[in-house]
C-alpha cells in the first residue's frame, strides 16, 4: 500500500463554504496507474492536491509509505515533495526563464547533486521523453506537447514514489495527448511508476489500471 | 535554504528577464547611489572650504595669544618658532581698535566714519603664513618699509560688492584716510591695496606694517597674537607641544579648529543635514528596490507556486529575490562609484563651485564611499526581503492559480 486515505474531508471556507471532499476513503497500491474521473467540480483536483501535499485537508488522514503526512510541518512537506513526489499540471507550469535542461535539473540541484550528475541525469530523462534535441530551448520556444514532456521529465527526475498529473492532456491536441498517455503507460509498465492522473476524457480509461469516480466530493465505485 | 539554487535562479532571472526593466533598475540604483555620495561629498566639500578659508586667511594652523594677565606676548623665543621642523612660517600681529574716517572732498563735510579691526603685519612673515597677499583685488600688498600706507579689506573700502557695502568708506587705492588708534593717536594713511577673501569678518580688517604699529603703540618685539603655519593640517597638537617647549609656558595656544567656534558649529549642522539627506536617500533607494522586487514578486506569483510545489523551501525562494536585489544594488554601486570617481569628482575639482564660504568641490572620502555602499546594500537587502517574504508566504495553490 503506497497511499491510504481515511475519512478525508476538505471544506473551502469563504463566503459560501464548499464541501469539496466529503468523506473520502481510498487505497492505492505501489505500481498502480489510477485515473480520477468525474464531472467538473466533483473534487478531483482537490483530492489530488491533498494527496500531493500541495494543500492541507480539513480533517481525515493520509498515509503515504506508512507516514501520516497531514501533521507534517511546512518544511517537512517541502522536503517530502522534493524527494518523493512529482507533479504534472494541465498548464505545464514551467519557469519561463529556464531552459528545458535547467527546468529538469532544478530538483536535482535542490537535492544536492553535483553539476556533472544533475546534467547527466536531466539529459538522459529528457532524451527518454523524446526531447534530446530541445535541451536548451526555453518554454516559449517549444510547442505545448513539448513543454508538457519537459514538465513530465522534471516530475520524474527525482524518481518519485508517486507521480501526480492533473488533466495533463487537456491543453493538447489528440496526437500530443496520445504521446503523453503512452509515455505514462510505458513508465508505469517499465519501471513500475505509481501514477495518479485526473482526467475527464473517457477514452483515457484504456491506458490505466483502475478508475476512481468522484461525484460531489464522494467516491462512487471502485 | 539552498544557496546554490537561489543563485542559479537569481542569475537566470537577471540574464533572461526583461532587459529594459533590468537597465531601468540599474539606472535607478546608480542614481540613488550617486545621490548618496554626492550629497555627503558636497557637504564635506563645504565644510572643508570653510576650514580652508579659516586656515588660509584667519588662523593659519596655530594661534598663540598672551596669557589672560598680559596685554602682549613678550617672549624672546618668538623668532625660534620658525625653526621647528615642519613649520612653514610664523607671523606676529599687533591688534588694535581703530576709528577710520574719510573726507572725500577734504572740506570737513560729509565725513564717512567707521570702526574696524586693525592689525599689523610683517609683510614678509605674513606671506609665509596667510594668503592675504594673494587676495589683493586693487593696488598692491604692503612692503616692510611702508609707514604711511594701509591695506584694507573690501568691506572697509566698499566698491567691490561686499556684504556690508552701506558701512564702507567708499575709497579706492590712492585715497587718504584718517586712522585714530585706541591710545588716541591719529594718523593719515594712503590706501595701498584692497583685498577680498571669502570671509566677511576678514574683509572688515585693515593692516599696517609692524614697523608703523610699533611706532604708534611705542612697543617693540612684542605681539598680540602669533600665527603659525605648519606643512600639513592635522598635526597641530604635536607642534603646540614643541612651541611650549620653546618657553611659551603661560601663553594661550590653540589650533585653528578650536578657534572656529561658530563656524565649526555650522559645519556640524552641515554634517547633520548631510546625515538627514543620506537617510532620506537610503530610504528612497530602499523603497525603490521594494517596489521593483514587489512587482517582480507579483509577476512571478505563479513561478513561486511552481518552485514550492517542486519542493523548494520558502527560505530559498526569498533568498533568490534578495540576491537579485543585492545584485541590482551592487551594480548600482559599481557604476555609481565609477561615475563619481571618474566623471563627477574630476569635473568638480576642475570646476569648483563659488560658494560664499569659499571654492567648494566634492570631498569624496573613503568613509563616505563606505557608508554609502553599506546604506545602499542595506536598502537593497531590506527592500528585497519584505516583498519576497510576503510572496513566498502565500499558499502553494494561491500562488499557482490565484
Ligand atoms: N480555492 C477554492 N476555494 C473555494 N472553492 C473551491 C476552491 N477550489 C475548488 N473549489 C470548489 O471545490 C469544488 C471542487 O473543485 P475541484 O476539486 O477543482 O473540482 P474538479 O477538479 O473535479 O473540477 C468545486 O465546487 C470548486 O468550486
Ligand atoms: Mg480540476
Amino acid at each position: 500500500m503506497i497511499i491510504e486515505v481515511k475519512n478525508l474531508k476538505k471544506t473551502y471556507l469563504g463566503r459560501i463554504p464548499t464541501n469539496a471532499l466529503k468523506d473520502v476513503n481510498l487505497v492505492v497500491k505501489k505500481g498502480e496507474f489510477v485515473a480520477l474521473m468525474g464531472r467538473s467540480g466533483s473534487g478531483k483536483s482537490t483530492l489530488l492536491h491533498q494527496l500531493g501535499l500541495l494543500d492541507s485537508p480539513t480533517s481525515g488522514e493520509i498515509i503515504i509509505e506508512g507516514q501520516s503526512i497531514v501533521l507534517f510541518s511546512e518544511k517537512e512537506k517541502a522536503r517530502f515533495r522534493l524527494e518523493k513526489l512529482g507533479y504534472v499540471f494541465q498548464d505545464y507550469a514551467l519557469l519561463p526563464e529556464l531552459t528545458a535542461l535547467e527546468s529538469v535539473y532544478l530538483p536535482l540541484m535542490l537535492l544536492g547533486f553535483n553539476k556533472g550528475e544533475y546534467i547527466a541525469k536531466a539529459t538522459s530523462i529528457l532524451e527518454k521523453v523524446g526531447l534530446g534535441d530541445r535541451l536548451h530551448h526555453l518554454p516559449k520556444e517549444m510547442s505545448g506537447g513539448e513543454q508538457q514532456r519537459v514538465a513530465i521529465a522534471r516530475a520524474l527526475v527525482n524518481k518519485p514514489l508517486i507521480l501526480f498529473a492533473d488533466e495533463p492532456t487537456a491543453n493538447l491536441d489528440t496526437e500530443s495527448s496520445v504521446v503523453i498517455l503512452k509515455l505514462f503507460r510505458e513508465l508505469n509498465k517499465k519501471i513500475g511508476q505509481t501514477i495518479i492522473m485526473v482526467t475527464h476524457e473517457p477514452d483515457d480509461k484504456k491506458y490505466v489500471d483502475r478508475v476512481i469516480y468522484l461525484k460531489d466530493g464522494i467516491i462512487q465505485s471502485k | 535554504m539552498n544557496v546554490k539554487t537561489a543563485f542559479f535562479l537569481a542569475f537566470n532571472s537577471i540574464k533572461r528577464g526583461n532587459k529594459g526593466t533590468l537597465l531601468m533598475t540599474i539606472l535607478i540604483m546608480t542614481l540613488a547611489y550617486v545621490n548618496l555620495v554626492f550629497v555627503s561629498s558636497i557637504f564635506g566639500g563645504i565644510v572643508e572650504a570653510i576650514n580652508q578659508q579659516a586656515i588660509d586667511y584667519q588662523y593659519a594652523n596655530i594661534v598663540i595669544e598672551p596669557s589672560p594677565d598680559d596685554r602682549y606676548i613678550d617672549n624672546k623665543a618668538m623668532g625660534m618658532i620658525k625653526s621647528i621642523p615642519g613649520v612653514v612660517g610664523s607671523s606676529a600681529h599687533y591688534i588694535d581698535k581703530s576709528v577710520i574716517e574719510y573726507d572725500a572732498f577734504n572740506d570737513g563735510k560729509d565725513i564717512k566714519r567707521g570702526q574696524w579691526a586693525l592689525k599689523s603685519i610683517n609683510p614678509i612673515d605674513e606671506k609665509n603664513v596667510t594668503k592675504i597677499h594673494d587676495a589683493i583685488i586693487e593696488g598692491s600688498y604692503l612692503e616692510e618699509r611702508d609707514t604711511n600706507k594701509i591695506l584694507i579689506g573690501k568691506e572697509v573700502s566698499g566698491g567691490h560688492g561686499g556684504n556690508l557695502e552701506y558701512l564702507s568708506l567708499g575709497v579706492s587705492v590712492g585715497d587718504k584716510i584718517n586712522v585714530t588708534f585706541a591710545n588716541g593717536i591719529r594718523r593719515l594713511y594712503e590706501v595701498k591695496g584692497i583685498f577680498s577673501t571669502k570671509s566677511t569678518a576678514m574683509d572688515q580688517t585693515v593692516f599696517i606694517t609692524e614697523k608703523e604699529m610699533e611706532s604708534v603703540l611705542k612697543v617693540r618685539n612684542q605681539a598680540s597674537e602669533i600665527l603659525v603655519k605648519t606643512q600639513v593640517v592635522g598635526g597641530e597638537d604635536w607642534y603646540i607641544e614643541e612651541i611650549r617647549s620653546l618657553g611659551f609656558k603661560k601663553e594661550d595656544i590653540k589650533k585653528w579648529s578650536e578657534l572656529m567656534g561658530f563656524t565649526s558649529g555650522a559645519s556640524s549642522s552641515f554634517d547633520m543635514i548631510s546625515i538627514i539627506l543620506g537617510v532620506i536617500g537610503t530610504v528612497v533607494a530602499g523603497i525603490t528596490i521594494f517596489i521593483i522586487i514587489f512587482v517582480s514578486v507579483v509577476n512571478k506569483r505563479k513561478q513561486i507556486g511552481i518552485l514550492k510545489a517542486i519542493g523548494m523551501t520558502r527560505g530559498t525562494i526569498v533568498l533568490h529575490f534578495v540576491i537579485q536585489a543585492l545584485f541590482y544594488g551592487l551594480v548600482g554601486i559599481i557604476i555609481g562609484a565609477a561615475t563619481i570617481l571618474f566623471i563627477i569628482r574630476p569635473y568638480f575639482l576642475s570646476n569648483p563651485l563659488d560658494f560664499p564660504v569659499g571654492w567648494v568641490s566634492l570631498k569624496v572620502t573613503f568613509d563616505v564611499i563606505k557608508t554609502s555602499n553599506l546604506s545602499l546594500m542595506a536598502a537593497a537587502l531590506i527592500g528585497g526581503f519584505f516583498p519576497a517574504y510576503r510572496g513566498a508566504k502565500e499558499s502553494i495553490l494561491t500562488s499557482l492559480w490565484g
Side-chain angles (χ1 to χ4, degrees), chain A residues 182-200:
Chain A
K182 281 190 170 157
L183 185 62
F184 278 2
R185 179 79 265 187
E186 193 188 317
L187 280 165
N188 174 253
K189 282 264 155 67
K190 270 197 183 156
I191 59 167
Q193 179 66 54
T194 310
I195 303 174
I196 301 178
M197 176 178 77
V198 171
T199 178
H200 60 257

Side-chain angles (χ1 to χ4, degrees), chain B residues 308-365:
Chain B
K308 285 174 92 173
I310 290 174
M312 189 177 268
T313 58
R314 225 188 263 173
T316 308
I317 292 169
V318 172
L319 183 63
H320 117 268
F321 283 110
V322 169
I323 290 169
Q324 284 181 63
L326 292 177
F327 172 83
Y328 300 142
L330 189 67
V331 175
I333 286 173
I334 292 168
I335 301 177
T339 310
I340 289 274
L341 294 177
F342 299 121
I343 299 172
I344 299 177
R345 184 167 171 268
Y347 175 82
F348 274 93
L349 283 180
S350 48
N351 303 285
L353 299 171
D354 188 3
F355 265 53
V357 294
W359 292 100
V360 172
S361 73
L362 286 192
K363 192 180 179 212
V364 185
T365 61

